[in-house]
Amino acid sequence: MSYAMDPERRRFFGAAAMALAATQLRVNTLGAAESEASEGPKAVPAKTAASSSFASLKQTNAGLLNVGYAEDGPAGGSAVVLLHGWPYDMHSYVDVAPLLASKGYHVIVPYLRGYGTTRFLAGDTFRNAQQSAVGLDIIALMDALKIQTATVAGFDWGARTADVMATLWPERCKGIVSVGGYLISSPAGNQVPLPPEPAFLFWYQYYFATPVGKAGYEKYLDQFNKLIWHQASPKWNFDDATYDRTAASFNNPDHVDIVMHDYRWRLGLAEGERKYDDLEKRLAALAPITVPTITMEGDANGAIHAPSTAYRNKFSGKYEYRLISGGVGHNLPQEAPQAFAQAVIDVDKMGG
C-alpha cells in the first residue's frame, strides 16, 4: 500500500503523516485522511456492484513471467499501460479502461507478479518484488506486445513502477500518471527511524517483517486485505461483490511470497538479486523524472502519503498535480475512474 521514504522526503513526510495519524485516531480507527486543499476536481462516484468486466483477457510470455492482462481499445491506438498495487488487482481499472478505449487508446492492464493469472515461467525463479524487477516486468510485457512507447499510469505499487520506468527507461514512457507522487526509494534510504505516529501507520510493514506476520497474512488473507481497503479508503462504500472480484487474484500461488519480499526488501530485511544492483543504484540516486507527469491524490486517502510539496522538485518535465475531492481514497482509479482517465488523456497530450 504505502511506501517507506528516503531521508530527504521524510522531513516533509513526517509532519504530514503525524497530522494524518492524529486525524485518524481522533475520528476512529479507520478515519479519513484530511484533504491537502479545499478545492479540486470532483469525483464522479464509481459503480459499487461488481458488474463490469474487461473486453478481453489474455496471457503472454514476457521476461520471467507468463502475464495475464486485460486489453481494450484499437490495437493501433496510442498505448496506455495501467498498473495496480497491493492489495488490489486489475479491476481497479475496470471502469477506466473502457473510458480510454472509447477515446481510441490501446489499453493494457496486467496482473503484476504474484496476482491473478500471472505466473513465473520457472519454478526456481526467486520470488522477488524489488522495484527494478517489477519495472522490468512491464518493459518485458511491452516488448512482448510490440509496444515501443506508452503512457504508464498507476497507484500504489503501480505508481512506484511508473516512476521506476520513467527514471530507468524514459524513452519507453510518453508520460506517466502517478497517484501519490514520487515513490522510488531504497533499503538504505529507509533506515532513518520515523516518529511514532507515522510508524504506526506503517504497521503492516513491520508485521510482515516477522514469521508470524507472514503466517497471519496467509491465514487471514481476505480479512487482512479487506481491512486495508477500509483503512486506505474510509469513505469508499464498496460492496462485497466488488471486493470478492479482486480477492480472487490473491489466490495466486506466489502472492504471499511476493508481498512479503516487497515490504521486507524495502526495510532492508530481505536481499534482492545482484543482477538488479546497477538498476537499484540508479534508482537510489532519486533523480528527477523528466517525462510529462500528472500526480494525483484523493482527498480522503487513509494510507500514509506525502504532501505534494514534498515531491514537486522530483519532476523536472511538464508537470501537473491534481487533488480529487469528494471522499476519494487510496484506490483512486476505481473510486474516481473519470478523473483518472482524464489525467491519462491529459498527460498523453502533454507528451505531444
Side-chain angles (χ1 to χ4, degrees):
M1 185 171 62
S2 308
Y3 303 94
M5 304 295 176
D6 60 275
E8 177 186 354
R9 291 178 66 197
R10 284 169 186 256
R11 289 194 296 271
F12 298 95
F13 192 68
M18 286 188 283
L20 176 57
T23 299
Q24 289 181 316
L25 292 171
R26 184 170 63 249
V27 179
N28 56 53
T29 57
L30 299 179
E34 291 186 1
S35 170
E36 294 170 32
S38 59
E39 299 296 333
K42 291 286 186 180
V44 176
K47 303 182 183 79
T48 56
S51 58
S52 301
S53 61
F54 288 101
S56 176
L57 297 176
K58 299 181 178 181
Q59 298 284 143
T60 191
N61 289 346
L64 300 174
L65 305 170
N66 179 260
V67 180
Y69 65 98
E71 187 172 27
D72 203 352
S78 181
V80 173
V81 179
L82 304 176
L83 303 174
H84 69 83
W86 172 84
Y88 306 95
D89 79 336
M90 64 163 61
H91 289 97
S92 290
Y93 298 102
V94 73
D95 296 315
V96 173
L99 292 173
L100 293 174
S102 71
K103 299 295 184 180
Y105 289 95
H106 180 203
V107 185
I108 304 295
V109 193
Y111 284 116
L112 298 186
R113 54 170 63 190
Y115 295 81
T117 59
T118 292
R119 297 289 189 275
F120 285 89
L121 293 172
D124 60 353
T125 300
F126 179 49
R127 273 35 179 179
N128 182 349
Q130 69 187 101
Q131 58 191 352
S132 58
V134 179
L136 274 169
D137 288 345
I138 308 307
I139 294 295
L141 176 61
M142 290 172 61
D143 289 344
L145 299 179
K146 297 181 170 53
I147 296 172
Q148 183 58 36
T149 60
T151 298
V152 183
F155 75 105
D156 199 88
W157 292 19
R160 178 191 64 181
T161 303
D163 294 342
V164 165
M165 293 172 65
T167 299
L168 297 177
W169 305 283
E171 72 281 0
R172 305 299 298 271
C173 301
K174 186 175 181 181
I176 66 170
V177 175
S178 180
V179 176
Y182 190 92
L183 300 178
I184 296 170
S185 66
S186 69
N190 292 330
Q191 294 308 303
V192 177
L194 287 170
E197 290 85 350
F200 165 75
L201 295 179
F202 276 137
W203 66 272
Y204 56 92
Q205 296 196 28
Y206 305 127
Y207 182 64
F208 289 162
T210 67
V212 71
K214 179 179 180 180
Y217 184 64
E218 190 165 22
K219 182 175 181 179
Y220 298 107
L221 189 62
D222 278 346
Q223 298 97 312
F224 196 105
N225 288 343
K226 185 176 281 190
L227 170 64
I228 295 294
W229 277 36
H230 283 296
Q231 184 176 19
S233 299
K235 296 186 178 181
W236 182 28
N237 188 28
F238 62 87
D239 57 19
D240 288 341
T242 297
Y243 174 79
D244 292 343
R245 179 179 58 182
T246 286
S249 72
F250 308 145
N251 293 325
N252 184 294
D254 301 307
H255 178 75
V256 173
D257 287 339
I258 288 295
V259 172
M260 294 303 111
H261 186 263
D262 181 278
Y263 292 106
R264 291 176 179 182
W265 178 83
R266 292 185 201 178
L267 295 176
L269 301 175
E271 292 292 325
E273 293 181 85
R274 300 284 73 82
K275 63 182 178 180
Y276 301 123
D277 281 356
D278 288 344
L279 296 177
E280 292 296 343
K281 184 177 180 180
R282 290 170 60 190
L283 293 173
L286 304 178
I289 289 172
T290 60
V291 306
T293 300
I294 293 176
T295 63
M296 307 180 73
E297 192 61 78
D299 68 341
N301 184 2
I304 190 169
H305 59 282
S308 60
T309 53
Y311 52 75
R312 175 60 188 93
N313 65 351
K314 292 300 184 183
F315 299 94
S316 61
K318 296 179 181 178
Y319 176 80
E320 185 178 338
Y321 167 75
R322 296 180 181 180
L323 177 67
I324 309 303
S325 61
V328 176
H330 190 63
N331 186 1
L332 195 153
Q334 194 164 358
E335 297 176 61
Q338 292 185 347
F340 191 90
Q342 190 61 55
V344 173
I345 293 168
D346 293 344
V347 83
D348 175 63
K349 293 177 180 176
M350 288 165 62

